[in-house]
Amino acid sequence: MKKLESREDIELLVNSFYKKVIIDETISSFFNDIANVNWDKHLPKMYSFWETILFGQMSYKGNPMGVHFPINEIQAMEQKHFDRWVELWKTTVEENFTGENADTAIYKAENIAKLMAFKMDIARRL
Ligand code: HEM
């Protein structure tokens, strides 16, 4: 299987991931109903986000935690949603890529998801 090593690889990974996300019973509503995502804008942001994490390109400028708080206020983002998000991400990475960057993509996503789940939970208690 292929190594995860270029912008094109990331584009394939992110596109394949969101194909699963938008039809997923557990988390699709956040994207389709709550945030009403503009995919032409969101996808390039996600390519840059992962390019920055994996290749240190620094092409992503944004606040990845911050955008989730308003969504969490409309519909609680709970542990079960994060578990499903991570499951879909892990499956998509493993279906397409192998090697160190593929492992890092899974490991980083798991860590960010953990932190995000914690922050969303705290925010709902304030
Ligand atoms: C239950 C889990 C999650 C849900 C439902 C969710 C949902 C969303 C939604 C609806 C957006 C806004 C899209 C838009 O309107 O432009 C977004 C943006 C984003 N998400 Fe998530 N997300 C989740 C977890 C994660 C995780 C674990 C990560 C990182 C590994 C992540 C990274 C991002 C980034 C980088 C953006 C773009 C931020 C920007 O605009 O600069 N998300 N997410």
Side-chain angles (χ1 to χ4, degrees), residues 18 27 30-31 35 37-38 42 45-46 49-50 60-64 67-68 71 77 81-82 85 108-109 112-113 116:
Y18 282 110
I27 60 170
F30 288 103
F31 297 86
V37 174
N38 178 339
H42 181 59
K45 273 189 207 166
M46 297 311 291
F49 176 75
W50 284 108
Y60 174 77
K61 289 183 186 67
N63 180 0
V67 300
H68 298 85
I71 299 165
M77 291 171 66
H81 302 119
F82 286 100
W85 192 106
K108 294 273 184 184
I112 297 167
M116 205 182 276

